[in-house]
């Protein structure tokens, strides 16, 4: 600085070299160190301050989503409890598959079966008559084993069988999926739209079919329903395979009866020559 | 200072080592008493530490530091019932007033005889300077501040600081003449 003589400035610097005492240095540096620690604590406290509300929000969101899921599942659960008493009416249905399609908890890991179960009660639930819940397991249960032809009443009309088959797929996708895949129909998914569609189907044609089976004679309903269900559950290919198997086993009479039923159910279906010939 | 604000303790140590001597001497020369200088010095650095969280570099750190020191010194003087008197009454145009006569000759020779060193004589002469001139001198020497920075800290115009420095230098030279 030009206002101060450089010689004077140099002399001042040489003469003035005193500094603060060491104790003062230590006290100030210690205070500075404490000051550094404060912001870190403040950061941690800020995190802790936000952690509680964040966890509360997360818990709330989780609870709401679970509640919504439970609410969605609830109709299925109620109807499944109504379905449980039905399995004893299954005649000839394999126990394992019947259990799989009727027990609510058994198929938790199998998503398609679980969704099928949800849909089955949804399809049956609107039915006002008390006989309907008893028929639900029959509808839901696949019936791969043949029934004696003598006990089979007349098969449902073909026009009725097709929507009934669709309904059966909606009701028991676990059983119907493989056949649906064979016929090029996409496997049913447990979405709301399909559920609505299934319930619509149930409301007009499917329940109508069930109702058509029930009214003729309450005593005969026990026999009629499995047979009709058999027609509903089976695809034509599966039925023909069954008839073919009966023929191979030499059970010609049963095969003929089954074939007659098949032709009633599917009059327009082209039956292979091997089955027609004796 | 920014590094210290962001949690780097070593940055403060660097600052402290750099400015501990100049700031301490600033107070020591102004107060003339080591105990008061200790107190003021510690108080200023405590203020610096306390203000570090909200520190923004609006000026050089040195300017900021010595502004705190200047304010603290003013408070100290007020507490003691003293007011720093500017012997150079600035006129309306901001020009320098009349040249202040040297300090009484009776005190200076005694001190000069006692210390027998030119440096010591300088410090003594510095101590005899009017407070505002001494402060301007110390801010320039210890803080290395420019005229504008000193003017900002002292709250006066640049020309006033220039005059103070010029008169301070002249007085110091005058005091040291007898030792040459």
């Amino acid at each position: 600085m030009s206002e101060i003589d450089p010689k004077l400035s140099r002399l001042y610097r040489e003469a003035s070299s005193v500094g603060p005492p060491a104790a003062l240095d230590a006290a100030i540096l210690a205070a500075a160190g404490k000051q550094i620690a404060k912001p870190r604590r403040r950061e941690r406290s800020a995190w802790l301050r936000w952690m509680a509300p964040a966890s509360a929000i997360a818990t709330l969101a989780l609870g709401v989503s679970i509640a919504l899921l439970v609410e969605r599942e609830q109709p299925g659960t109620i109807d499944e409890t109504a379905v449980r008493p039905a399995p004893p009416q299954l005649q000839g249905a394999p126990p394992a598959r019947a259990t799989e399609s009727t027990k609510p908890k058994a198929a938790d890991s199998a998503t398609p079966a679980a969704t099928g179960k949800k849909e089955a009660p949804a399809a049956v639930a609107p039915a006002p008559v008390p006989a309907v819940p008893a028929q639900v397991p029959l509808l839901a249960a696949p019936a791969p084993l043949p029934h004696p032809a003598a006990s089979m009443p007349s098969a449902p009309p073909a026009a009725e069988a097709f929507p009934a088959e669709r309904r059966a797929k909606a009701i028991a996708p676990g059983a119907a999926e493989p056949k649906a895949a064979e016929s090029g129909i996409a496997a049913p998914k447990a979405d709301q739209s399909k559920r609505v569609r299934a319930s619509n189907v149930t409301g007009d044609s499917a329940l109508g079919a069930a109702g058509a089976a029930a009214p003729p004679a309450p005593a005969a309903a026990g026999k009629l329903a499995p047979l009709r269900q058999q027609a509903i559950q089976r695809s034509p290919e599966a039925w023909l395979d069954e008839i073919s198997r009966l023929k191979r086993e030499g059970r010609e009479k049963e095969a003929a009866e089954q074939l007659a039923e098949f032709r009633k159910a599917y009059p327009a279906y082209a039956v292979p020559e091997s089955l027609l010939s004796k | 200072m920014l590094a210290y604000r962001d949690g780097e303790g070593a940055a403060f140590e660097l600052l402290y080592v750099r400015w501990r001597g100049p700031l301490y001497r600033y107070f020591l020369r102004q107060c003339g008493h080591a105990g008061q200088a200790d107190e003021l010095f510690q108080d200023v650095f405590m203020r610096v530490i306390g203000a570090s969280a909200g520190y923004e570099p609006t000026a050089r750190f040195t300017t900021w530091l010595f502004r705190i020191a200047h304010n603290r010194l003013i408070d100290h003087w007020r507490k003691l019932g003293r007011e720093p008197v500017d012997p150079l009454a600035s006129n309306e145009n901001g020009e320098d007033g009349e040249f202040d006569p040297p300090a009484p000759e009776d005190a200076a020779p005694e001190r000069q005889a006692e210390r027998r060193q030119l440096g010591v004589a300088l410090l003594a002469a510095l101590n005899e300077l009017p407070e505002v001139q001494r402060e301007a001198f110390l801010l320039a020497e210890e803080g290395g501040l420019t005229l504008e920075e000193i003017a900002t800290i002292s709250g006066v115009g640049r020309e006033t600081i220039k005059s103070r420095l010029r008169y301070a230098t002249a007085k110091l030279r005058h005091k040291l003449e007898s030792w040459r």
Side-chain angles (χ1 to χ4, degrees):
Chain A
M1 192 176 291
S2 61
E3 279 70 28
I4 298 178
D5 183 0
K7 290 180 182 176
L8 197 63
S9 179
R10 197 181 316 120
L11 183 62
Y12 172 79
R13 291 176 187 278
E14 288 170 1
S16 183
S17 58
V18 66
L24 209 53
D25 292 343
I28 290 170
L29 290 174
K34 286 180 184 176
Q35 180 70 16
I36 289 175
K38 281 182 184 175
R40 288 181 185 165
R41 280 201 299 272
R42 204 174 298 147
E43 283 175 14
R44 281 199 300 272
S45 68
W47 163 243
L48 289 173
R49 196 165 56 244
W50 282 105
M51 198 167 69
S55 57
I57 289 169
T59 306
L60 189 66
L62 192 65
V64 167
S65 57
I66 288 172
L68 287 174
L69 281 173
V70 167
E71 192 179 346
R72 280 169 119 189
E73 301 246 354
Q74 206 151 12
T77 309
I78 291 168
D79 286 337
E80 281 162 7
T81 56
V83 166
R84 279 186 186 177
Q89 294 185 14
L90 289 173
Q91 297 175 1
R97 297 187 67 179
T99 306
E100 187 182 332
S101 60
T102 51
K103 281 192 176 180
K105 302 293 179 185
D108 281 349
S109 58
T111 307
T115 54
K117 279 188 294 171
K118 289 176 206 166
E119 291 182 11
V124 177
V129 288
V132 173
Q135 288 180 353
V136 169
L138 300 176
L139 294 173
L145 292 180
H147 287 265
S151 64
M152 289 179 69
S154 62
E160 200 177 309
F162 179 67
E165 192 174 55
R166 280 176 53 198
R167 171 172 50 90
K169 285 172 186 171
I171 289 169
E177 264 178 26
K179 303 302 176 187
E182 285 176 14
S183 59
I185 299 170
K189 294 178 181 177
D191 56 7
Q192 193 64 32
S193 60
K194 285 210 170 188
R195 191 175 303 169
V196 169
R197 194 177 65 191
S199 65
N200 289 341
V201 168
T202 309
D204 49 34
S205 62
L207 274 182
K223 292 181 178 180
L224 185 62
L227 296 173
R228 188 173 294 275
Q229 176 57 30
Q230 196 174 39
I232 289 167
Q233 287 294 316
R234 286 185 197 176
S235 69
E237 293 86 356
W239 201 342
L240 289 175
D241 286 346
E242 189 62 33
I243 294 168
S244 175
R245 188 178 64 79
L246 289 173
K247 282 179 76 78
R248 278 199 308 275
E249 290 173 357
R251 296 156 68 183
E252 294 291 341
K253 189 180 175 186
E254 292 177 17
E257 288 169 352
Q258 287 284 331
L259 187 59
E261 289 296 326
F262 178 83
R263 299 200 74 162
K264 284 180 184 176
Y266 301 101
Y269 198 91
V271 179
E273 289 291 332
S274 58
L275 295 180
L276 293 175
S277 62
K278 291 193 176 181
Chain B
M1 192 61 188
L2 290 173
Y4 173 62
R5 181 194 66 183
D6 295 338
E8 196 176 325
F12 181 81
E13 289 183 19
L14 284 175
L15 277 177
Y16 184 73
V17 168
R18 169 68 183 85
W19 293 109
R20 61 185 280 278
L23 189 70
Y24 184 77
R25 288 190 291 273
Y26 169 80
F27 283 121
L28 185 63
R29 306 297 173 218
Q30 291 283 62
C31 300
H33 190 274
Q36 291 177 357
D38 288 356
E39 180 188 343
L40 295 173
F41 172 81
Q42 185 174 12
D43 193 41
V44 166
F45 264 109
M46 288 302 178
R47 291 186 187 193
V48 168
I49 290 167
S52 62
Y55 177 77
E56 292 297 333
T58 55
R60 269 209 306 164
F61 171 75
T62 316
T63 310
W64 184 67
L65 175 68
F66 277 95
R67 187 180 186 88
I68 295 173
H70 169 81
N71 293 337
R72 183 66 188 89
L73 187 64
I74 297 294
D75 292 341
H76 173 69
W77 280 335
R78 284 178 182 163
K79 190 178 176 183
L80 295 178
R82 290 174 57 191
E83 287 289 338
V85 179
D86 186 356
L88 303 176
S90 298
N91 58 26
E92 292 179 353
N93 298 324
E95 298 294 327
D96 298 338
E98 293 297 320
F99 182 77
D100 190 46
E105 293 292 330
D106 56 347
E110 288 178 5
R111 292 179 185 172
Q112 290 165 1
E114 289 173 358
R115 297 173 184 175
R116 300 176 180 270
Q117 290 180 2
L118 195 59
V120 176
L122 174 62
L123 295 179
L126 184 65
N127 194 41
E128 293 172 1
L129 288 176
E131 288 163 348
V132 291
Q133 291 178 14
R134 187 169 60 233
E135 185 181 44
F137 179 86
L138 289 172
L139 287 174
E141 283 297 316
E142 298 290 358
L145 302 176
T146 63
L147 289 175
E148 290 76 12
E149 289 170 333
I150 298 170
T152 303
I153 289 171
S154 304
V156 294
R158 179 184 182 276
E159 292 302 316
T160 304
I161 296 299
K162 194 174 178 180
S163 299
R164 287 177 183 175
L165 281 174
R166 197 162 58 228
Y167 282 113
T169 303
K171 284 179 188 175
L172 292 173
R173 277 181 188 163
H174 180 74
K175 294 289 183 186
L176 295 176
E177 281 297 321
S178 58
W179 291 93
R180 292 183 178 178

